[in-house]
Every structure is written in C-alpha cells, then in structure tokens.
Amino acid sequence: MKQIKSQTKQEQSRQSRLLKYSLSAKTTLLQGLLVTGLTVASSLLAPYLVKYLLDNELRAGAKLRANFLILILVAYLGTVLLSSVMRYFSTLLLHKAANKIAMKMQLDAFSHVQKLPVEFFDQLPAGQVVSRITNDTKAVRILYQVVLAQFMLAGIYALGIYISLALIDPFLILIALTSIPIMYFVFRDFKGKSARYNRIYRSKLSELNGNLNENIQAMEVISSLGKEKQIYREFSVISDQVYEQSRNVTKLFSYSAFNATQTIQYLMLAAVLLYFGFGHLTAAYWVPIGTLYVFVDYMLILFNQLNNAMTRVGDLERARSAADHIFELLDLETVQEGTRIAPSSTGRIAFENVTFAYKEEAVLKDISFEVAPGQTVAFVGPTGSGKSTIMNLLFAFYQPQQGRILFEGEPLAELDYKSFRRQMAIVLQDPFLFTGTILSNITLNRANISRADAERALREVGGDQFLERLEHGLDTAVIEKGAGFSSGERQLISFARALAHNPRILVLDEATSSIDSETESAIQRAMRRLEEGRTTLIIAHRLSTIRHADQIIVLDQGRIAEQGVHDELIAMDGIYRAMYEAQSQEASSWRF
C-alpha cells in the first residue's frame, strides 16, 4: 500500500512539474491546439460533403445541378487542402513548443549541475550526467513533440467523430461506442506490458553499452591476455538478453498495436454493413448510402489515429522515465555558499583545525597552518596523505566536517564562492583544454585579457619554442581535450592560462609531473619571477622543484608530520629526508 501511495505521489509530482514546464510555452501550445482543432474540423468536413452529395444531389430521381455539383467538389477540394495546411502548422507549432520546453528543461538541468557539489561528479560517471542533460531532455521533447501531439490529435478526432455521428444517425453512434470499452482494455494491457518490457529492455541495453565500452577501451589488455573468446561469450550473453526483450516488445506490438485495433475496426465495419443491409433488405428502415460512406470513412480515420497513438505508448513510457531522471537531478541539493563578497586578496590563507572525510574515513585530521602574503608553500607526502584534498577545500569544492578555512581572515563558508575564486588560479596535474584555439584556452574569452597578454604569458612560462613552431601561432586549433599536443605542451598552455589571469593565489597541483626536464627548467625560471608578490601553493612530487619554498608541509596519513624549510626538514632526518634521498638515488640510477 505504501509503495502504491509513493508511486501515486511520484506520478502527481511528475505531472505537476511537466505542467509547469508546459506553461513556459503555453501560447505556442494553445496555438497548436487551436490549429489541431481546425485540422480535425476540416478533415471531418470533407467526408460529410461527399455524404451530402450522395444523399442529395446524386440520389435517384434528383435533378442534377451542375453548378452546385461543381461548388461541392471545389469545397471538398478546399477542405482537403485546408486540412493539409492546418496539419502542417499544427505540427510546426507543437514541435516549436516541444523544443522550447526541452530547451528550458535542458538549461535548468545544466544550470543546476553547475551548482552541485563536486562529490556528485565523483560518484556518478560523467557519461550518465551527460545522458540526463541531453538524452533525457530529448526523450521529454518527444513527449511533447510526438507523443502528446499524437494523443491529443487522436482525442480530438475521436471527440469530433462521435459528435458528428450523433448528429447524423443516433444508432450509428451506438455502434461506434461499443468499441470504447474493448479499446480501453486493449490499450491498458498494451500500456502496462509496454512499460515493463521497455524498462527491462533499456536496462539490458545500458548494460550492453557499458560492457561494450569497457571492452573497447581494454582491447589491448584483452588481446595481450588472450581473453577474446571469454569476453565474446560474456558479451553474447548480454546481447541475447537484449534480443529477448526486444522480441517481447515486437510480439506485443504484433498483437496489440495493429492486430487488435484492426480486428475491432473490421468488426465495427461489419456491424454497420449488417445494419445497412438489413434495413434495405427488409425495408424496416432506410440508411442513406452517404451515411454509410461517412461512417466507414470516419471509422478508418479514428482507428488510424488510435493505431498511431498506441505505437507511441513506448515513447510515452520512455519520456516518463526520462522526466523522472531529470527531476531527480533537479532535486539534488546544491552547494550552500555564503553571500558576502570576498575582500581583495593579499594572499593570506589559514586552515584552523580542519578535519575532512570523503565518506567515513577521515582524509585530513586536525590540520592547521597559515600562509602569509607572497609566500611559496609546498605540500608533500605519500599518495593518499591529503595533499590534493587541501586544494579542493581551499577552492570550496568540498566543505570540512570540522574546523574552518580563512581567506583574508574571513571564514570561507560565509563568502560568495565566485568572488574569491576569481582571485585564485590552479594548474592541475592533468591539464584540461577546451575545444577552440590556444588563444581561447589561455584567455577563456575574457575581455580583460588581450592577445598580447596571452602571448606574453605563454612566453613567460617557457613556451617560446612551442609557439614559434606553430604555423598559426595562438590561433592554432585545439580539438577535444587538447589531443594532438604532448602532455608538456598542454601543461604549458594550462600554466599560461593561470598566469594570464594574474591571480593573487596560484595553486600548482603536481603541475610539473607531466613535463620533461627541459620544459620543467623553463617553468621553474618563470615561476621564480612570478612568485614575487603572489602567494603560491605547490603540491609536489619532485622534491627538487620546491627546495626554494618558504614553507614545506609534510603530510602523512592526513596529519601534518613535519613543517619547515628544506634545510630544516633535511636536518630533522624524518619523512622528508627519506623521500628526498630516495628520489635522489632514483635520479642517479636513471643518469647512470
């Protein structure tokens, strides 16, 4: 009972929210509804003109009026053309409304995603997020564009046909109404089974796509281990399951979507022919031939519309499921940030007794340190010690469970995030480049960064040779993720991007780990000049690159194990010295 109530509540919530989105295009939808009504009216008027012609102008003994006959034929042709024109505009308006609604939903979803905490993206693969924003909104668009239009058209046709039959011959409306309860049960059975089969089919298809994606990415490993046959068998099992569910959907369509409705249609036509024939043979009553024609024509139109509507039931279920996915995304709690604008930064940062855990196990434990303006502070330690977590907390990507972070003496949690992030820049270990040009990747299309600024930044980080060998210079195209550039070249562009924005606080997260020694030397020279008057935080793997740091913080298992300058830490003969000597020995062995 609770599950039924929960499903009913979910259904009501979905309908309410879909209605709310519908109101964003209410004018276009109403126009589409009006034109659809005109389409149906003109479509039903054409058979009625033929009926009038058969029953009045062409009946036995009637005097043929050529001019009137031509007028009726012209009117018939006019209604057919009008119906075609109205159908065109009806489709156009409904598609326009559907696209407008889907666009608003897509923009709302993307805007909401931008406000979600970073841990959301850690837990959900990027492909699923993209699917919700693109594929799911596309499915909802189909709800308005095809499904809703088709169901609405079928409903208006049914209403118009039943009203017309009631006015023409009351007994014919009784024959037509006998199909309603039968069609109701057929439609209900079809809808229930279609929802179940399509749900399972989509689940299996998703599993198949996941398996295929994983196997393609791991093809080298599979081939090197000789696991092709095993992987093929696993893929075949899932493929067979997809095929079986697809076969169930096909069988359902075979008996319900056309066979059932056509059977009912034939039975109704047979019934009206018996009604017509019995009246003529027994002379018990008279049914005009035009009335018979209009009934047959109306029934063909009605069942054609019902068939079209039933074939869209699967799309309806997919759209409902897609809407649920989008609304689930929109219901996720966004990051709660402060409202006060951050003060202009001098580069002063402080962590006070900060403890943070991603799930249950604490990654940082009671961390406290202070960074003075203009200082260069390096964080070192083994993998998993919490170095990158400190940077994530500094940018407010995550919130500490205990303690606080101060920006110019102000609690970070009370500040507007954009206002202090604009004063910082970060260079990551794995640099990300956007599709565009080198220039757009450095400036990010900000008006306050000129072409000259971008070129100067790239040259200052040692990109002279890189820039000179490019035929188009800063206008060189960058494809997705910077494919076509080496890791060192991508890092140079990323580093130039950070410097061009002239941040008060510069964060380097393993920024030199992906570049060669020659490029690293050039960057180190540029860094020395740029560190003056700027606070620089460095997460370092190569300890040789941070010997000049004003402060080196050694992390171990989430705690500060050692703190000081290079010479002091070497003298302590602790973790830092052991790491430094191990790296020195490794470098010596490589040179040898």
Side-chain angles (χ1 to χ4, degrees), residues 364 379-391 510 539-540 555:
L364 296 178
F379 298 85
V380 301
T383 301
S385 59
K387 304 185 297 296
S388 294
T389 301
I390 287 177
M391 301 309 170
E510 302 275 14
I539 295 177
L555 297 170

Side-chain angles (χ1 to χ4, degrees), residues 7-25:
Q7 291 176 347
T8 303
K9 187 176 180 180
Q10 182 184 16
E11 178 76 19
Q12 292 173 344
S13 175
R14 183 204 304 126
Q15 291 175 353
S16 174
R17 297 175 80 164
L18 286 174
L19 178 61
K20 183 179 178 181
Y21 274 104
S22 300
L23 294 177
S24 65

Side-chain angles (χ1 to χ4, degrees), residues 212-229:
L212 182 60
N213 183 61
E214 182 179 27
N215 290 336
I216 289 176
Q217 291 183 354
M219 193 59 71
E220 291 182 3
V221 178
I222 294 170
S223 299
S224 65
L225 297 175
K227 293 292 184 181
E228 290 92 343
K229 289 185 178 180

Side-chain angles (χ1 to χ4, degrees), residues 482-514:
F485 295 107
S486 69
S487 58
E489 290 167 344
R490 291 197 300 270
Q491 195 65 280
L492 285 173
I493 297 172
S494 180
F495 201 85
R497 174 198 296 163
L499 297 183
H501 287 73
N502 192 28
R504 298 302 305 161
I505 301 171
L506 179 63
V507 178
L508 307 176
D509 188 352
E510 302 275 14
T512 60
S513 63
S514 299

